[in-house]
Structure formats: structure tokens, C-alpha cells
Amino acid sequence: MTKVSRIFLRSNSRYGLWTIPLLVATAGCAGLAASTGDFATWQNILNLVAQAAPLILVSIGQMIVILVRGLDLSVGSVVSLTTAILSLNAPVYLTVPAAILMAALVGLLNGISVTRFRVHPIIATLSMMGITQGVTMFIRPSAGGTVASEIVFLVSGQVLGVYMPVIWSIAAILLAWKIVHGSRFGLHLFAIGGGETAATFGIAEHRNILAAYILSSCFAAAAGIFLAGRIASGDPNIGMQYAVDSITAVALGGTQLAGGIGSVHGTIIGCALLALIANGMNLLNVSAFVQTIVKGLILLVVILLQPRKNIGL
């Protein structure tokens, strides 16, 4: 077996099996480019990047939590809450820190529920999802409001000819790579997810899990900032699909939902593949209801192909 073959077939490494989704995404691009002339246009590529950017942000945070055998169902409501806060009639230097602090608080409460009170991650984050969504509806009962022009520029503008969604995506990937693959904290995430105990390696397990949930919520808040700038208003329902979509993207990228195995590049590939599927179905005029069914089936199939006894799925 050649070295290239070993790389593409290796599935038990710490990074998970991410090569197959990469091949599928490549084949999908080729197929869509051949079947519809609209896919390969510059405008559609920009739309694809803009659609993928918030998913990338949410999925990175979701991956960090999944690495420690957790799950965060509250990310979607954090996205919505962020857009609601940013659409208030207040200066941007107040709304952005307020949104990030609220997100960090949600993550902290999730982490405390999981670590101190031993609540299952699904139950803990599901409860927090309801609480956060209630706060969001109180602030912004329906879509509306106005987002500051500075935030709109950060999403729709250009810097040296480079479109902002591209910059957002690159910045998120580099930051995530540093956190997960270039720091001691990242090594601790893999160790905790792999079942290694704090007593064995001197790892502050609870503290690292708390940090993982806070990071997850903060990445979701970043996605909310991006979406608020893109639609230039607040929307209490805009984040609803991101909990399921982020879990699907992370699993598609080879991250094991049982924890301890995953990678940033795999997650990005999973996001690209999911965005590609959605974009292709839009170009082919597939009903939004059918698209939801397809995404649900993808998640179900991916979970069925992964070991599930450690996460109760």
C-alpha cells in the first residue's frame, strides 16, 4: 500500500476519517459544475462562502465541545440572541461586548450543569436553549431592528479586494487551529475525550470542559454577529437550524461524537460539504422541506456509522 493510500484510508487516528468527505465534496463540485451552469459562477461561489461562514464558526465551537464527549444544542439560540442584541438601538461598542458576554454566560452555565451537577450534555444544553430562546424573544419578538453600519461593513465589505466572508472564514480557521492543534488546551481536549483521567495526567478536567462550552457559545456569538451584519437586522429564529447543522457538519468531517477524535480541517470539510449540498439543492430548485429531510437523513446515517455508547445516542 502506498503512502498516499495509507493517508486516505486511515480512520483511527486522532483526526478521524476526513478524507472520504473531502473526496465526496470534490466530486460534488465537479458534478454540480457539469449539471448546472450557475454553480461555477463567481457570484454563486461568493454566496456559497457567505452561507458557509456562519456554519463554520458554529461548527468549530461544536467540535470543541464534542471532543470532550459533550454536545451543545444551545448554539442556535445563542446565534439568534446575538442578532437580537445587535439590532437594539445602541452603539456598537456596547452591543458587541454585551452579545459576547451573554454568550459566554450561556456557555458557562452549560459547563457548570455538565461538570458540577452531572447533567447529561443533551439535557443541559437543551434546557439552556429554551432559556436563551425565551430571552431572545423577549428582546426581539419578531424580525426587525437595525444593525450598526460598522457590523454590516464587517460582513459585506472588502479589504484590499478580499471579500469579508472569506476573511471571516480564514480567521476562524486559523484561530481554531491554534486552539485545537497548537496549544496545551487542545491536547487536554483530546485526552479528556479519549477517556484519560485527570489523576493520570494531571489535567483539570472540569476546568477544560467549562472552557470548551464557553468557547462553543462564543463561536456561536461570532456567527450571530456575521448573520446580523448580513441581514442588517435581528431575527429571533435565524439560528434555529444551526444546532443540527453544526452537529451534522462536525460528524461529516470525521469527528467522533463519542469524543477524543476530530480535527479542524475535517470540520471545515464537513461544513463545505453540507453547504455544497444545500447550495446544489437550491440551484436545482429542491423544496426547502425536502432539504430539511435530506439534512436529517445525513445526520442519522452519520450517527449510525459512529460508535454511540459513550454519548447516549
Side-chain angles (χ1 to χ4, degrees):
M1 184 181 293
T2 66
K3 182 178 180 180
V4 174
S5 298
R6 287 195 298 270
I7 292 174
F8 271 83
L9 293 176
R10 184 174 58 186
S11 61
N12 294 321
S13 71
R14 187 168 67 179
Y15 296 144
L17 184 60
W18 55 269
T19 50
I20 291 178
L22 176 61
L23 292 175
V24 173
T26 303
C29 287
L32 286 171
S35 62
T36 172
D38 294 330
F39 177 77
T41 63
W42 180 243
Q43 185 60 48
N44 185 61
I45 292 174
L46 287 178
N47 288 336
L48 185 60
V49 174
Q51 290 170 6
L55 179 60
I56 288 172
L57 288 163
V58 178
S59 297
I60 287 171
Q62 188 74 256
M63 178 205 62
I64 291 173
V65 168
I66 289 175
L67 283 177
V68 294
R69 294 175 289 173
L71 208 64
D72 192 350
L73 298 180
S74 66
V75 288
S77 58
V78 171
V79 170
S80 298
L81 176 62
T82 301
T83 69
I85 293 174
L86 294 182
S87 67
L88 296 174
N89 188 22
V92 66
Y93 59 82
L94 294 179
T95 55
V96 171
I100 294 174
L101 285 174
M102 286 294 291
L105 177 61
V106 171
L108 177 64
L109 294 175
N110 281 332
I112 290 174
S113 297
V114 171
T115 57
R116 185 172 181 82
F117 297 105
R118 302 291 182 180
V119 180
H120 193 284
I122 292 178
I123 304 301
T125 58
L126 183 64
S127 301
M128 190 53 60
M129 178 186 73
I131 295 170
T132 306
Q133 191 63 29
V135 174
T136 303
M137 297 297 292
F138 179 80
I139 295 173
R140 177 66 60 192
S142 59
T146 303
V147 172
S149 58
E150 295 91 338
I151 296 176
V152 175
F153 171 78
L154 285 175
V155 175
S156 59
Q158 299 180 37
V159 175
L160 300 177
V162 181
Y163 288 89
M164 293 304 294
V166 176
I167 296 176
W168 277 73
S169 299
I170 293 174
I173 293 169
L174 292 177
L175 176 60
W177 190 276
K178 176 62 178 177
I179 292 172
V180 176
H181 302 299
S183 69
R184 186 181 296 273
F185 171 68
L187 290 175
H188 291 175
L189 295 178
F190 285 104
I192 294 169
E196 307 296 348
T197 63
T200 304
F201 293 100
I203 297 173
E205 185 172 342
H206 286 186
R207 186 174 65 191
N208 283 282
I209 292 174
L210 276 174
Y213 278 99
I214 292 173
L215 280 172
S216 177
S217 290
C218 287
F219 272 106
I225 294 172
F226 182 92
L227 287 169
R230 191 178 183 199
I231 65 175
S233 63
D235 189 339
N237 299 313
I238 196 170
M240 287 181 62
Q241 80 273 21
Y242 282 101
V244 173
D245 283 1
S246 63
I247 295 170
T248 304
V250 170
L252 274 175
T255 296
Q256 293 290 316
L257 298 185
I261 295 176
S263 67
V264 172
H265 51 276
T267 298
I268 303 309
I269 292 169
C271 291
L273 181 54
L274 198 61
L276 184 65
I277 292 171
N279 185 257
M281 288 192 291
N282 286 333
L283 292 176
L284 296 172
N285 295 317
V286 177
S287 166
F289 303 109
V290 175
Q291 292 187 35
T292 302
I293 294 172
V294 170
K295 290 180 181 180
L297 288 173
I298 291 172
L299 177 58
L300 178 61
V301 171
V302 171
I303 289 179
L304 289 175
L305 294 175
Q306 292 193 357
R308 306 181 302 280
K309 63 181 180 179
N310 291 334
I311 60 172
L313 292 176

